[in-house]
Amino acid sequence: MPSSRTGRAPVQGAVRVRRPAAPRPPRDNPVRRFRRRVERAWDRPLTAYYVILGGSLLITVLGLVMVYSASQITALQLSKPGTFFFRKQLLAATIGGVLLFSASRMPVKLHRALAYPILAGSVFLMALVQVPGIGLSINGNQNWISLGGSFQIQPSEFGKLALVLWGADLIARKEDKRLLTQWKHMLVPLVPVTFMLLGLIMLGGDMGTAIILTAILFGLLWLAGAPTRLFVGVLSVAAFIGLVLIKTSPNRMARFQCIGATEPGTGATSCWQAVHGIYALASGGLFGSGLGASVEKWGQLPEAHTDFIFAVTGEELGLAGTLSVLALFAALGYAGIRVAGRTEDPFVRYAAGGVTTWITAQAVINIGAVLGLLPIAGVPLPLFSYGGSALLPTMFAIGLLIAFARDEPGARAALSLRQPRFGRKRGTGGSVRSGRPAGTSRRWNTMRRRASAARSSGER
């Protein structure tokens, strides 16, 4: 009998048993992988800060470009230089940039201290508008004060900022004293003061701004946790008052009749502006006719550089341009919601929520009117349309959001790591104090010290 080399008899009929293969890990779905990356990026401490800062600056710069393009023909028709409206908007954007930077650097205590002075100043100016000889009437609404020359101011735009700051401070103080469980403290004096502002605005006939202030009021009540019955009750009263104001005004009734209109019409039923706004969007196509090549701005579309600048954007930049604007506003609104949801400070929560409600509601009303889905309310597109009175308080409000985003958990620490230290020389000279090479950050040095501590004593 043959034997193996080891001297053992071979095993007859031995069967090699195969081990079951280990299950392969499931392949990672590219969509899930991309979603996880987006979620990780969004959860970073400085994401909201950069989204608010970058989004608002992009909207403002794109708005300046479109104001220049959409206002040239109107300026020439008024025997003005083609850059007339653009220069005024650029000046307002420059001043607004200073306000944005100042607001972003102010502490929260200073923001709260400014609430009452801004409210008092806004009420005084809105009352001054109704004084004969001081207030100006433009397009049937008396809501303007002349500053001399071609400059005017609309005090009702500053009333939005005043309501946000004062309302947030009021509700925050009542929350600290645990008074929001009583309905009278929830409503008084927030609702009466808001109705006073609405009354001053409606004396001039500005229904659009009144709608924005109403949206801010309901946003503050919602964030304060108003009971459903209380919320519905205030909403019903506001809706009834609005219905009466609409029914008693033929102009407002005509605007409601233009929702979804496809023919310009004639006489009292004319929907010229709404229909030509749709014409501008329809002729833009996917990528538009080109910057400056709009046809509707040549006298066919009224208010092409103010209320209907979104229509000119659609005609010149196409669907890609309008979707980009919508994406920027959506990102700005979502970042504002994140700031309001992550803070522990009641004032920051209410102020951030109020600013987000203000900008989002105004953008929805303006774009909805251009698309023919809502009545024309006469409100500008925030940060985008022509108008310094609307741009200045809006940029200050964006500065508030930036300041609040800087105070998010971890955001201040992350910013301190990215700021350069004083006394560091540029180039190859290194730091004066520590002798570190130029460009070496504190974070990198901290990591280097940890790595050095982990080495053994004899390692070089």
Side-chain angles (χ1 to χ4, degrees):
M1 183 177 184
S3 60
S4 63
R5 295 181 180 179
T6 57
R8 298 178 181 176
V11 180
Q12 299 293 333
V15 180
R16 181 177 296 177
V17 180
R18 294 184 178 179
R19 297 181 180 179
R24 295 181 179 180
R27 292 184 177 180
D28 195 5
N29 191 346
V31 177
R32 293 180 180 178
R33 185 166 60 251
F34 176 75
R35 180 180 177 181
R36 286 197 298 268
R37 289 180 179 178
V38 172
E39 290 177 352
R40 286 196 300 267
W42 183 251
D43 287 335
R44 292 176 181 174
L46 293 176
T47 299
Y49 169 77
Y50 286 124
V51 169
I52 295 172
L53 178 61
S56 59
L57 291 180
L58 285 175
I59 295 173
T60 305
V61 171
L62 183 58
L64 286 172
V65 174
M66 293 311 304
V67 165
Y68 176 67
S69 176
S71 65
Q72 292 182 14
I73 307 304
T74 304
L76 295 176
Q77 290 175 345
L78 297 175
S79 301
K80 303 287 185 180
T83 60
F84 176 74
F85 293 104
F86 170 74
R87 286 181 295 173
K88 292 180 63 178
Q89 187 73 357
L90 181 61
L91 176 61
T94 304
I95 300 174
V98 176
L99 293 177
L100 185 149
F101 179 79
S102 302
S104 66
R105 295 293 177 174
M106 289 181 184
V108 175
K109 291 183 179 180
L110 183 55
H111 290 149
R112 301 186 70 167
L114 290 175
Y116 282 87
I118 293 178
L119 177 64
S122 300
V123 172
F124 174 75
L125 291 177
M126 282 191 284
L128 201 62
V129 167
Q130 306 305 322
V131 177
I134 297 179
L136 296 178
S137 178
I138 299 178
N139 295 331
N141 294 337
Q142 187 167 346
N143 291 295
W144 301 82
I145 296 177
S146 177
L147 299 179
S150 60
F151 293 93
Q152 301 93 22
I153 185 174
Q154 188 177 4
S156 58
E157 293 290 341
F158 295 89
K160 304 172 186 177
L161 177 62
L163 180 59
V164 168
L165 288 176
W166 176 80
D169 178 70
L170 174 70
I171 300 176
R173 287 189 288 107
K174 290 193 173 187
E175 180 176 334
D176 292 337
K177 297 179 181 179
R178 303 181 183 275
L179 297 177
L180 293 181
T181 55
Q182 305 177 27
W183 67 269
K184 61 179 181 180
H185 287 288
M186 180 75 70
L187 298 181
V188 180
L190 178 62
V191 175
V193 171
T194 305
F195 275 42
M196 179 190 66
L197 295 175
L198 292 174
L200 291 174
I201 292 173
M202 289 307 301
L203 284 176
D206 191 358
M207 187 74 176
T209 305
I211 294 175
I212 304 301
L213 257 71
T214 306
I216 295 174
L217 170 64
F218 288 119
L220 292 174
L221 290 176
W222 181 272
L223 291 171
T228 305
R229 291 179 296 177
L230 186 64
F231 194 84
V232 173
V234 178
L235 181 61
S236 301
V237 173
F240 175 76
I241 296 175
L243 183 62
V244 171
L245 293 174
I246 292 171
K247 285 288 186 179
T248 55
S249 174
N251 183 30
R252 298 188 186 110
M253 284 297 300
R255 292 186 179 187
F256 268 88
Q257 294 173 0
C258 290
I259 298 178
T262 56
E263 295 294 335
T266 57
T269 59
S270 175
C271 298
W272 184 273
Q273 187 178 24
V275 173
H276 277 271
I278 298 297
Y279 289 168
L281 291 172
S283 60
L286 187 59
F287 297 105
S289 58
L291 192 62
S294 170
V295 176
E296 291 292 334
K297 69 181 180 183
W298 286 77
Q300 299 296 323
L301 180 63
E303 306 296 335
H305 60 296
T306 55
D307 300 345
F308 271 69
I309 194 172
F310 188 76
V312 180
T313 304
E315 185 178 6
E316 295 187 351
L317 302 183
L319 181 63
T322 55
L323 289 181
S324 299
V325 175
L326 290 176
L328 289 173
F329 276 109
L332 190 61
Y334 195 72
I337 294 174
R338 165 178 160 153
V339 172
R342 289 197 172 191
T343 183
E344 299 294 335
D345 190 336
F347 172 79
V348 173
R349 180 168 64 252
Y350 297 131
V355 171
T356 305
T357 303
W358 162 15
I359 295 177
T360 305
Q362 188 165 329
V364 169
I365 292 174
N366 178 275
I367 296 174
V370 174
L371 295 177
L373 303 176
L374 295 174
I376 300 174
V379 296
L381 190 59
L383 302 172
F384 201 82
S385 297
Y386 169 79
S389 296
L391 184 63
L392 295 181
T394 306
M395 294 194 74
F396 188 89
I398 294 295
L400 289 178
L401 288 180
I402 294 174
F404 299 155
R406 291 168 60 92
D407 289 334
E408 273 195 7
R412 186 172 295 277
L415 283 173
S416 64
L417 290 176
R418 298 190 179 190
Q419 293 176 355
R421 300 181 66 183
F422 293 103
R424 182 178 302 166
K425 293 183 178 180
R426 297 184 181 274
T428 58
S431 176
V432 175
R433 292 185 179 180
S434 60
R436 291 193 300 266
T440 305
S441 64
R442 296 176 60 187
R443 184 176 180 181
W444 170 252
N445 288 314
T446 304
M447 296 173 62
R448 187 173 59 182
R449 286 195 299 268
R450 291 178 181 174
S452 300
R455 294 176 181 173
S456 61
S457 58
E459 185 179 355
R460 293 288 185 269

